[in-house]
Amino acid sequence: MTSALSVPTDWVRVRAPGKVNLSLRAAAPGPDGYHPLVTVFQAVSVYEDVVATAADDITVSMTGTGDQIVPTDSSNLAVRAAQLLASRAGISDGVHLHIDKRVPVAGGMAGGSADAAAALVATDELWGTGASREDLLDLGRQLGADVPFALMGHTAVGTGRGDMLTPAMVVGEFHWALAFAEHGLSTPRVFSALDDLRGDEVPESDPDSDIELMQALRTGDPHALGEALHNDLQPAALHLLPDLGRTVQTARDAGALGVVVCGSGPTVAALGRNRAHAQVVAASLTLAGVARQVVTATGPVPGARLLV
Ligand code: ATP
């Protein structure tokens, strides 16, 4: 019989965070159709928990936010992650992945990428494949542009498709109210709306654009960070979902230091002065009825990690 203190060897639990983009700047799409990005990610305390249990095949189940609308076949990002690691490591073991979802589906917070990152870390541990950090980041990059950041966590600057990462220095923590919308937004649709809105007027990239933001992070100054938040995709998300304008305005009226759409949206992130103030902003958003659900979160937090 297993004693209460013994460590089980046939299952592991891994936690991976959702993210907000403190800044996101998109250039004109290249010949491959992708928009080169410069983005500053921050991992926040809204988590996906994945329990990986030894099994014959690779399967997935889900509970929590949007569990009904996410596929459970081999298009599920967690399944793809496990399949990729198995094929790279040349092993035929299976795994059952159970995901407790808290990050909104298609919410711009990279919940699917968090699941993929968690599945990589969990199966590496369960199967004893001994992948290095670099190996996992490389596998993550093949699964999706946001997967490497879900592995790394904390705060980082992403370039390329957002998958080439440089950690950013941050002092202290920041407190967010996050408004989850009723429905999701498709990322390709938002980029296409961005192209339509811009026409030929694509802004020149300026390497100094985020100097104030990086300084705000280094000094732990939420007021300066609030002023520096920026997302090129925000007008496109608002164009596709005009109701989001009310969410943004409600957070501003509640005194948020800055309000920004997360990634391709529609989640809206509002920065509080401190934890209590983020709760006040969250209460105002809830009372105004402008979101399906409002939560508070802190950032930065670590990337995908084993829970013991
Ligand atoms: P993106 O990473 O494309 O910007 P997002 O952060 O807005 O997306 P996600 O919830 O990560 O939103 O995923 C978007 C799509 O990926 C959904 O339409 C969903 O069907 C598909 N998907 C595949 N696997 C998963 C998963 N494990 N969790 C969530 N979505 C998944």
Side-chain angles (χ1 to χ4, degrees):
M1 204 176 90
T2 314
S3 86
L5 288 175
S6 70
V7 179
T9 52
D10 62 347
W11 65 272
V12 295
R13 183 191 297 270
V14 173
R15 169 165 286 185
K19 55 81 179 168
V20 301
N21 299 76
L22 307 177
S23 172
L24 190 158
R25 299 178 193 274
D32 58 0
Y34 279 92
H35 297 69
L37 299 181
V38 180
T39 186
V40 184
F41 294 108
Q42 179 157 95
V44 293
S45 60
V46 181
Y47 296 110
E48 302 280 269
D49 280 356
V50 173
V51 174
T53 310
D56 293 336
D57 302 317
I58 297 178
T59 54
V60 68
S61 58
M62 278 165 293
T63 46
T65 313
D67 60 333
Q68 305 294 320
I69 48 175
V70 177
T72 52
D73 58 16
S74 57
S75 67
N76 189 292
L77 278 168
V79 172
R80 286 182 47 213
Q83 287 172 340
L84 183 63
L85 181 65
S87 84
R88 278 309 158 85
I91 58 168
S92 54
D93 298 30
V95 64
H96 179 72
L97 300 160
H98 182 79
I99 308 173
D100 188 10
K101 290 192 76 65
R102 298 189 201 95
V103 177
V105 175
M109 290 185 66
S113 302
D115 297 341
L120 284 176
V121 171
T123 47
D124 176 50
E125 178 71 17
L126 188 74
W127 296 335
T129 39
S132 67
R133 194 83 194 140
E134 271 314 310
D135 292 338
L136 291 181
L137 287 171
D138 188 46
L139 293 177
R141 229 167 256 128
Q142 296 173 47
L143 291 160
D146 289 340
V147 181
F149 181 69
L151 286 162
M152 185 185 263
H154 303 284
T155 305
V157 179
T159 55
R161 294 181 181 183
D163 55 347
M164 306 310 291
L165 298 170
T166 308
M169 199 184 125
V170 178
V171 164
E173 58 180 9
F174 296 93
H175 299 275
W176 300 95
L178 300 171
F180 300 161
E182 195 63 51
H183 302 289
L185 267 179
S186 132
T187 303
R189 248 189 102 207
V190 176
F191 274 103
S192 148
L194 173 75
D195 293 338
D196 291 346
L197 289 174
R198 278 177 167 174
D200 294 330
E201 312 260 306
V202 180
E204 288 287 313
S205 76
D206 173 0
D208 293 342
S209 304
D210 289 322
I211 279 186
E212 272 115 19
L213 187 139
M214 301 311 280
Q215 175 72 6
L217 292 171
R218 276 196 298 273
T219 54
D221 179 347
H223 293 266
L225 180 63
E227 277 176 28
L229 297 173
H230 176 85
N231 185 353
D232 275 356
L233 294 177
Q234 185 153 325
L238 285 164
H239 177 75
L240 293 172
L241 279 185
D243 281 355
L244 275 188
R246 276 187 62 217
T247 315
V248 171
Q249 195 54 48
T250 303
R252 286 198 182 124
D253 293 347
L257 301 178
V259 186
V260 73
V261 166
C262 295
S264 55
T267 303
V268 171
L271 183 63
R273 290 192 296 274
N274 48 39
R275 188 183 300 271
H277 183 232
Q279 284 164 352
V280 169
V281 174
S284 300
L285 286 162
T286 303
L287 277 174
V290 290
R292 173 178 60 76
Q293 188 190 358
V294 184
V295 302
T296 55
T298 58
V301 297
R305 66 193 194 280
L306 277 173
L307 295 182
V308 282

